[in-house]
Amino acid sequence: MATKAAEKKSFKLPHLFFLLLGLLIVITLLTYVLPAGEFVEGVYTPLAERTPVSLPQAFLYIYDGIANSAMILAMLLSIGGCVQIGLATKAIDRVIDGLIYKMKDAGSTVLIPVVFFLMALLGGFGGSDALIAVIPIGVLVAKKLRLDPIVGAGVSYLGTMVGFSTSPSGVYIIQGLLGVDPYSGFGFRVLNLLMCATIGAVFVTLYAKRVEKDPSKSAMGDLSWQADLNDAGELKAAELNPKDVLLTVLFFAQFPLGIFCNLGLGLGMGALVAVLIPMSVLIGFIAGMDSDEIGNTFAKGVGSMGFICFIIGMAGAISLVMKNGHIIDTVAYYASLPLKNLGSGFAAIGISMVVAAINFMVPSASAKAAALAPIVKPMAEVLNIHGQVATQAFQIGDGFCNMISPFLGWTMGGLAIAKVPYQKWVKWVAPLLGILLVFEWAVLFVLNSIGWTGL
């Protein structure tokens, strides 16, 4: 019996492809069960008869879902290529290495917040699970400061995740799906990233100072981690190369420049692509890449977005099934009922909680945005919540809980690299997660109260 129990595989979520395929089938079947209805002049009106969608028709909608998502897919493919070139130059990595090396004698009070902010900015503008590669930097910093692995994971993984969760450049998909100008509200979201990064940096620094003063206070539970401190490698001697600094500045500057052309000059979404592509080519040439390297790197970045694009198209098919089955407004209406008496400010918080709960089942932000936008949009309209505020609610629900998601490879892989047990990590980071959520919910309430539109 013990052998059989040992052979049992741990629970594992199905691949995202099968999750959405199953969701498409379930939603199609629900068109035969749920009452049909629609909003007429803001009032939910039941239809006399159901309007079910057949399964073959649902699969035909996959093509339409892809075709209807053309604007978002164009942005995804372009950004994928541009970010890949920026990160492939390794300029940002060398700038981080150079700054850490210069501050190696500054102590934890200075070094930890600086590294945390660098990681948060990297997560905010280049966020993806590829940033798992920077975790060894945080581990090395922690070892050099004679601190535990949790500090290492805190300044690296946690820093990038806080940046990713408040990314000013990562909301364009949900904004487009909610009918909001992509990248509008960029200035506030940069400020929001910095505020959350400050909270995170203070939290990690205070913990580091406590462990520095008394190692027995480590959240690791014992002092076995100290055995690895003597294995710490040397911080690489690295100077701040002016070319690397220039490349780093150009990488981060291309996003606000493209957004200014889009919103400030009124040139439309095409302006973003028109800025990002030549800027990425310029970055590549300055870095010393030849035309073939730039082309191959760009192609790699575009290719990495291919499956995400397909998933968004499939989620678009789910939306079409709900729309043509006339259950999308029904779902939105009944989902909004518990929030209706809360007032729009608290209702926005409620939306973020719903997204957070679903986040554990569908970790992919892109797929979640595409699947939930058809429900969130009419819910927001019924609850008198502006699309920009609904976008912020979605981002809050989608991002922060990734810090403790056992289904996210970025989280579990990062903790494995840092040698931090998952249970220890959750216990340590839970107070910070609570602080960040309460802070963001308060901000969300204020944004809704002042009628923020992001413009």
Side-chain angles (χ1 to χ4, degrees):
M1 293 293 289
T3 305
K4 288 184 178 179
E7 290 176 352
K8 284 185 178 180
K9 293 183 178 179
S10 59
F11 173 75
K12 182 181 178 182
L13 278 175
H15 191 279
L16 183 56
F17 172 76
F18 286 101
L19 277 174
L20 285 188
L21 190 62
L23 184 58
L24 176 65
I25 294 171
V26 169
I27 294 296
T28 301
L29 296 177
L30 285 178
T31 63
Y32 290 86
V33 178
L34 295 180
E38 57 186 4
F39 286 108
V40 179
E41 297 182 357
V43 178
Y44 176 73
T45 306
L47 299 183
E49 297 181 356
R50 292 186 177 88
T51 55
V53 175
S54 68
L55 199 56
Q57 182 60 56
F59 280 97
L60 287 172
Y61 283 146
I62 294 177
Y63 173 85
D64 296 324
I66 295 173
N68 294 344
S69 304
M71 181 190 76
I72 295 172
L73 303 190
M75 285 299 305
L76 265 175
L77 295 173
S78 302
I79 289 175
C82 296
V83 170
Q84 186 69 33
I85 288 178
L87 297 180
T89 66
K90 299 297 182 183
I92 300 173
D93 301 63
R94 289 192 292 268
V95 166
I96 291 175
D97 286 341
L99 289 172
I100 292 174
Y101 182 74
K102 283 185 175 296
M103 294 184 297
K104 64 181 185 297
D105 299 321
S108 59
T109 306
V110 175
L111 190 55
I112 288 177
V114 170
V115 175
F116 193 98
F117 269 93
L118 289 171
M119 294 297 181
L121 290 172
L122 186 57
F125 291 91
S128 74
D129 54 8
L131 291 182
I132 198 171
V134 304
I135 292 175
I137 296 175
V139 172
L140 182 56
V141 168
K143 285 183 176 181
K144 285 300 175 185
L145 294 172
R146 313 297 292 177
L147 297 171
D148 67 9
I150 286 180
V151 175
V155 296
S156 53
Y157 163 71
L158 183 61
T160 55
M161 184 56 73
V162 167
F164 177 78
S165 302
T166 54
S167 173
S169 61
V171 293
Y172 63 95
I173 294 177
I174 187 64
Q175 283 182 318
L177 293 170
L178 292 181
V180 179
D181 288 337
Y183 291 111
S184 55
F186 184 85
F188 163 76
R189 290 191 170 92
V190 170
L191 177 62
N192 189 49
L193 184 156
L194 295 175
M195 290 190 293
C196 289
T198 300
I199 293 172
V202 169
F203 183 87
V204 177
T205 303
L206 289 176
Y207 170 76
K209 298 302 291 185
R210 187 164 70 248
V211 174
E212 190 175 55
K213 184 177 180 180
D214 182 359
S216 67
K217 299 290 186 182
S218 169
M220 292 292 288
D222 56 42
L223 298 178
S224 60
W225 52 272
Q226 290 185 322
D228 293 332
L229 295 181
N230 295 328
D231 298 330
E234 291 298 320
L235 286 171
K236 291 183 292 185
E239 295 298 323
L240 286 174
N241 187 308
K243 186 169 78 170
D244 286 338
V245 174
L246 173 61
L247 289 170
T248 301
V249 171
L250 288 176
F251 176 79
F252 286 113
Q254 63 183 327
F255 296 100
L257 177 59
I259 292 162
F260 173 74
C261 291
N262 171 26
L263 302 176
L265 301 181
L267 298 178
M269 285 297 295
L272 282 161
V273 177
V275 168
L276 293 179
I277 290 179
M279 282 285 282
S280 64
V281 172
L282 176 63
I283 288 171
F285 280 128
I286 293 175
M289 302 168 78
D290 60 31
S291 58
D292 283 345
E293 287 179 292
I294 293 173
N296 290 332
T297 304
F298 189 87
K300 181 181 177 182
V302 170
S304 69
M305 292 293 182
F307 180 67
I308 296 176
C309 289
F310 178 78
I311 287 299
I312 289 176
M314 183 174 281
I318 295 172
S319 176
L320 286 171
V321 169
M322 297 177 72
K323 180 179 179 182
N324 291 300
H326 291 92
I327 64 169
I328 189 169
D329 288 350
T330 299
V331 172
Y333 172 71
Y334 285 103
S336 64
L337 284 181
L339 306 176
K340 220 169 184 182
N341 296 324
L342 297 177
S344 57
F346 287 108
I349 296 172
I351 290 176
S352 76
M353 291 180 175
V354 171
V355 175
I358 295 173
N359 185 56
F360 287 99
M361 296 178 284
V362 186
S364 169
S366 303
K368 195 158 48 263
L372 291 181
I375 298 173
V376 171
K377 185 176 181 181
M379 274 182 69
E381 291 171 352
V382 170
L383 297 167
N384 196 31
I385 299 171
H386 191 275
Q388 194 71 261
V389 177
T391 295
Q392 193 67 15
F394 180 92
Q395 185 179 42
I396 293 168
D398 172 59
F400 291 105
C401 290
N402 285 327
M403 296 175 189
I404 58 172
S405 173
F407 304 118
L408 190 66
W410 188 358
T411 298
M412 302 309 289
L415 295 180
I417 291 173
K419 296 183 179 179
V420 177
Y422 174 73
Q423 296 87 341
K424 304 287 186 186
W425 173 260
V426 171
K427 184 177 180 180
W428 177 78
V429 84
L432 174 62
L433 176 59
I435 292 169
L436 287 170
L437 286 174
V438 170
F439 173 76
E440 288 291 83
W441 286 335
V443 170
L444 188 63
F445 185 87
V446 172
L447 291 176
N448 185 77
S449 299
I450 64 175
W452 182 59
T453 62
L455 300 177

